[in-house]
Amino acid sequence: MMTALCKARPGPGAELVDMPVPNLGPRDILIKVRAASICGTDLHIYSWDPWAQGRVHPPLVFGHEFCGDVVAVGSDVTRVPLGSYVAAESHVVCGECYECRHGMAHICRYVQILGVDRPGAFAEYVAIPEQNAWLTDRRFPPEIATVQEPMGNAVHSAAVAPIAGANVAIFGMGPIGLFTVPIARASGAARIIVVEPSEDRRRLATRMGADVVLDPVTDDVVRRIREETGGEGADVLLEMSGNAAAIRQGLEALRFGGHASLLGIPSRPVELDLADGVIFKGATVMGIAGRKLWDTWYQTRGYLESGMDLSPIITHKLPLSEYERAFDLVASGRSGKVVLLPTG
Amino acid sequence: MMTALCKARPGPGAELVDMPVPNLGPRDILIKVRAASICGTDLHIYSWDPWAQGRVHPPLVFGHEFCGDVVAVGSDVTRVPLGSYVAAESHVVCGECYECRHGMAHICRYVQILGVDRPGAFAEYVAIPEQNAWLTDRRFPPEIATVQEPMGNAVHSAAVAPIAGANVAIFGMGPIGLFTVPIARASGAARIIVVEPSEDRRRLATRMGADVVLDPVTDDVVRRIREETGGEGADVLLEMSGNAAAIRQGLEALRFGGHASLLGIPSRPVELDLADGVIFKGATVMGIAGRKLWDTWYQTRGYLESGMDLSPIITHKLPLSEYERAFDLVASGRSGKVVLLPTG
Amino acid sequence: MMTALCKARPGPGAELVDMPVPNLGPRDILIKVRAASICGTDLHIYSWDPWAQGRVHPPLVFGHEFCGDVVAVGSDVTRVPLGSYVAAESHVVCGECYECRHGMAHICRYVQILGVDRPGAFAEYVAIPEQNAWLTDRRFPPEIATVQEPMGNAVHSAAVAPIAGANVAIFGMGPIGLFTVPIARASGAARIIVVEPSEDRRRLATRMGADVVLDPVTDDVVRRIREETGGEGADVLLEMSGNAAAIRQGLEALRFGGHASLLGIPSRPVELDLADGVIFKGATVMGIAGRKLWDTWYQTRGYLESGMDLSPIITHKLPLSEYERAFDLVASGRSGKVVLLPTG
Amino acid sequence: MMTALCKARPGPGAELVDMPVPNLGPRDILIKVRAASICGTDLHIYSWDPWAQGRVHPPLVFGHEFCGDVVAVGSDVTRVPLGSYVAAESHVVCGECYECRHGMAHICRYVQILGVDRPGAFAEYVAIPEQNAWLTDRRFPPEIATVQEPMGNAVHSAAVAPIAGANVAIFGMGPIGLFTVPIARASGAARIIVVEPSEDRRRLATRMGADVVLDPVTDDVVRRIREETGGEGADVLLEMSGNAAAIRQGLEALRFGGHASLLGIPSRPVELDLADGVIFKGATVMGIAGRKLWDTWYQTRGYLESGMDLSPIITHKLPLSEYERAFDLVASGRSGKVVLLPTG
C-alpha cells in the first residue's frame, strides 16, 4: 500500500488516500517518488476549473513532474536498470501516429499525460512506461531532477528562437518563465527584459539574471521595451503568461522580422492585430507544446551540466501531507516552483 | 509630356492627366512602361478607403507592378544598361536601418512604396532608383514581366513553408492566391486544396492545377480539408484572403506541427483560438510582407525559366484609357490579374 | 518452405535455395514478397568485394528493397493489418541510442540492415519488425512500391537542399541519381544539369527531365556547368556517384554559398581543395545516409501521389530465378533499376 | 602627411614610411586609427608567402582590423556622423553581384579587402567607404573595438552551429579560436573541449572557460574527445586551425549527425575519409568566410554588450613603431591578439 494525493471526486480539492502500489505492465517501471513538483495544470485539477471538468475523470492520482528511484521493472524492460535515478517525460506517446513518426512526438495526437489521463506522481510510487524515463545523474538533487520536465518547456521555447546576441522580452515569471531567464542568458541573449505583475516574482527574475524588470500594472510596457532596445523592439518574445493583454503587448513590442514563442495558454480566444502585429512585421510566431522528444531533454541536461543554477526558483519544498499549503502557494501567483516530497 | 493615371484629389476615382515626364536623380533610371498590372492596393487607393485616406497624399500617380524599357539613366547608374527590359521591386528601401542591414530589407522600416509614397507606374513613364530594377529576359512578354512583383509575394509565401510532399490548403484565389497554385505544385505539393467563394476564380484555380476546390459558402471547409488529407489536416496553410473566418478555418484545419503563411491582410483585429489553433498544435505562423531582396526575385525567375505558365491568370489586358473598366473588373472579385498597357 | 537467393558462402555469386519460411517474433510481420529491387549494396554482396567481406556473414538471404503482402503477424502487432500491402524501411533501428532519441534514427549507431545484417528479401517471404513496414496504396504496382526505399535516398538528398528556383547539378545517373531528376524538378529546380559517363543512363536522364546532360569523358564539366548557369556555378550539387573526380568537379562547379548533398560513397579517402571548394566559398556540405524516419517516407509518398512517373527508371523486371542476368545488368553500369519478382 | 606601415616592395618585411593622408571619395570617411590588430593574413603579407606573392601588389599599406575616430566625411555620406567611434568591416563588397543581392555579401565575388586589395589600417589614417563603418559605443576601449572584426569570424562560425546544450570541440587556439571559447559558452555549450599544441594558448583557452584542454602532440585526441562526451563524439566541431590532421581528427571525433564549421584555411588539398567522416555519419560541414553583413556584427555587439570579457585574449599592445616585435610575436604561434596603436 502507499499514500497518494487523489482527486477523489468532481469538485475542488483533493485528498490523501491509501491505495495499492501500481501494477506494472511488461514494459513499465515502478518509481519510488523522491520529489514531485506542482504545475499550473495540477492547480487546474485541484481547483476543478472548466478545463479539468472536461478532461479529468476522478478518481485520479495527479501530478506529472517528478523524479525518483526505479524499484521494479517489467519483464520486457531493457534500457532502464533497477536502481536508476530517473525523471520522466510526462507525455506517454503512441509512437505510431503521423506526428510520432515525423519527429513531432511531443504533439502526438493520442498522447496520454501522466497525472491527467492516467495515474500520476503525487504518491509514494508511480508506474510509467520505460520509454518515458530519463536517466539522471545523482549529483542533481531531487528538487532539481523533478523540474527538468517544466524546465524542458522553457528550453523548447527558447531553442526555436534565434537568441544569440538578441534582445529578449519574456512575459510571465511563473516557474517556466523564470527558467527561461538563465536559459536565454546561456543562449547568448544581449538583453533580457521581463514583464511580470507579482513583485515577488519580479525579484526572482532579477536574481536569475534579468536585465530589465517591468510591472505591467505601472509600466507602459511597449514603450519601455522599445526604449530598452534602441527603438527597435524586442528581437525575440517568449510569451509564458497566457494573458491576452500580454500577448498583444508582446507582439506590438516585437521588432520587424522578430520571433515569438507562445507557450502560455490563453483561457479564451484572443483578439489580435494580425496586420500590424504579424503580417506587415514579417514576424514568426511559434506555438510551443511540451518538450521535443528527446532533443529538449538532452539540451536541458546540457544546461544543467554546464552549471546553471536553478535553486533560487525552487522556493518551497514540502512533505506531501502539506499539499493544501502547497497548492495555496501556487495559487497565490507569487511563488517560484513548489515541490512536494512524497517519500521524505 | 506624358499621360498618367492620377489620384488627383481625396475621394473615389482617378483621372487621366497630361504631366511632365519624371526627372531623374543621379542613381535613377527612366522606364517607358510596357505593362502595369493592378494590385488590391491600387483598388484601395482608387476607391479611397480608410487605409488610403490615412496613407496616400494626392495628387499621386499610382500603380507599382510594371515592366518596361529603360530609356534614360542618371549619371551614377552603373548596373542597368540603357535599353534594358526591366520589372521592378516596388519597395524603395533605405539600406541603412536594422532590417536593411540584417537581410530583411523587405520589411525596411523606412520603406517608400512606388505608387503609394512616391509616383508610380500607371503612366507612360516612371522613374525609379536603379537598385529597384530587375533585369528581365525579353522572352517573357510584358503581361508576364509585370506580374513578377505580385508573383514574388506568392513565391515568398510558399518558399518559407515546407511544401515538398505536403498537403497544402490555400485560402483566397485572387491573383496572388492563384499564383501560389502552380508554385506549390512546382515545390512538390502532394495535394493542393483551395478555398474561394467566387466561381470564376475557383475555375481558374482548377485550371492552374488545384486538386480540390472548395466553396466556403456551401462547403464545410474544415471537415472537407480533413477528409482530403486522411484526417490529418493540411500540412501547410497559405492564407491569401485576409478574411477573418478564413484565417480561423485555416488554423483549425491545420495539422499538428503545421506551417501557416499569412499574407492576406485583415482589415481589423481577428479573434483567434490561439490555444487550440496554434499553441497545443505546435504550429508555426509566419507573416509575409513583400518579397525578400533579392532571393525571392531569383526564385521567381527560376520558376518562370523552368516553364511555369501563368498566362491563364492574366485574364484581362486593357489600354490605360480603359482604367475605369479595369478597376471595375478588379472590384468584382471574379477576375484574375488585370493588366494596363500605358504605351500600347 | 520457400525459395530464396542466398549468399551461401564467402566468395562471388549466390544461389537459389529452398529453406523454411522465417519465424515471427511477437512484433514481427511476415511479408509475401511481390517485388524486390537490386541495390548497389546487393551487387557488393554478390560480387563479394572487400566491404562485403568485412560486413556480411554467410549464409545470408540478401536484398533489402521490396514490397509485398502481409500474410502473418506476431501476437503484439497492432498497427499493420493482415493483408496490407507494404514496402519497408530497410534500417532496423534500436530506438534507444542518442541518434534514435534525437530525431536521427536514420543514422542509428546500432542499426541492423535487412539483407545485410539479418535475412533479407530476395525470397518468397521475409519477416520484418512491424515498425519497419510502410503501408502503401495498391494503386502503385510492385515495381514502384519496392523502389520507395531507394527513392527515399534521393528524396532525402534533395529535401535538405534549397532547390526551389535553383540550378541543380547532379553527378551520377544510377537509379538513385535518376530518381533525383524528377524530384528536383518537382521541387522547383530552374535548371537540372546531369553528369554521367554511360550513354544509356544519360538517355534516361533526359527522359526523366534533365535540361542539360554532360559526359565527363568528353565534356569539360566544370566549365560547362558554369556556362549553363550564367557563370555563377550550380546552386545545388547532388553527388550520387561516389566518384572522387566527380566530387572534386562538383565542389569546384558549385556557386559561392551553394549547397552540396553527398550520397555516393567513395571507396577510399578523397583529396579535396577545402580552401577554395568549401571554406572561401562558404559552402554547406551534407552527408546523406538512409532516409529520415519517417519524414522522408511521407515526402516520398507525397511525390508519388502527386503523379510523379518513375516507370522509365525501372528498366528491367525479371523472375527471381534469373538473378544472374539481373546482377549482370546492374554490374553493367548502364541499366536503370532492376527488379526481381520472387513470387511471380 | 602621416606615418604608415608599408609593404614597400616584394619580399619579406615592411617599413614605416611618411605618406599623404588618403583622399576621400564622396561616399568615403576618413578614420584616425586608434588601434589596429594583426591578423594571420597580415603575417602572410609581412613574411611574403606564396599566397601574398600572388595576391598583393606593393607598395601597399596593409592591416584590416582596426577602430578609430571619424575625422572627415565625403560629400554624400549620410549615416556616419563626424566624430563617430567606428570599427570596420574589412570586406568592401560590390553590392550588385548574385551573392550581394542574395544575402551573402560576405562572399561577394568582387570583394576588395582593406589592407589586401586597397590601402589598409596600419597607419595613422585610413579611408573606407561609409558602408563599411560599424558605429561602436565608446565604452569599449580601442583594443576591444578593433577585434570586433576577427571576433565576428568566431561568431559566424558558432552562429551557424547548434551549440545550445551541445558538446563542442574547438581545434586551434589562435585569437579567433580563443574568441570561440566564450562565444560557445555564451551560446549554451554543455562542454567545451579545445585542442591546441601551444602551451601558452592552452593556458589562455582555460582562462577563457574551456572545460577540457588537449595537446595534439601528446594526447590521443579522438579517443579523448569520445571519452569526454560519453562515447558519443562532439556534437559540434569548430575547426579554426587549418591543419590537415586537425580536420581529419575533428571529423573523426564528430558525433553522428554532428555539425562542423570549417574556418581555418589549409594551405594545400586535404585527404578526407568522406565515407566514414561525413556521409555515413550524416554530418553537416559548413565553410565559414568572413562575417555575415550585418547579422554577425549585430550578434557580436550583443555579446559584447552582455558583458563578455575578451581582455585576456589581447595579450600585447604596442606602438606602430614596434611592428617588428609585434610580427615576431604573431609568428611565434604562442600569443593571443597583438594590437598596434598607430596614434598612441
Side-chain angles (χ1 to χ4, degrees), chain B residues 159 164-167 184-191 232 298-303 305-306, chain C residues 159 164-167 184-191 232 298-303 305-306:
Chain B
N167 293 315
R185 181 61 76 216
S187 304
R191 177 159 276 234
E232 304 281 349
Y298 283 97
Q299 290 176 312
T300 300
R301 182 174 76 183
Y303 285 125
E305 288 183 347
S306 74
Chain C
N167 293 315
R185 181 60 76 217
S187 305
R191 178 160 275 233
E232 305 281 350
Y298 283 97
Q299 290 176 311
T300 301
R301 183 174 77 184
Y303 285 124
E305 288 183 347
S306 74

Side-chain angles (χ1 to χ4, degrees), chain A residues 164-165 184-190 298-299 302-303 305-306, chain D residues 164-165 184-190 298-299 302-303 305-306:
Chain A
R185 182 60 76 215
S187 305
Y298 283 97
Q299 290 176 312
Y303 285 125
E305 289 183 347
S306 75
Chain D
R185 181 61 74 216
S187 305
Y298 283 97
Q299 290 176 312
Y303 285 125
E305 289 183 346
S306 75

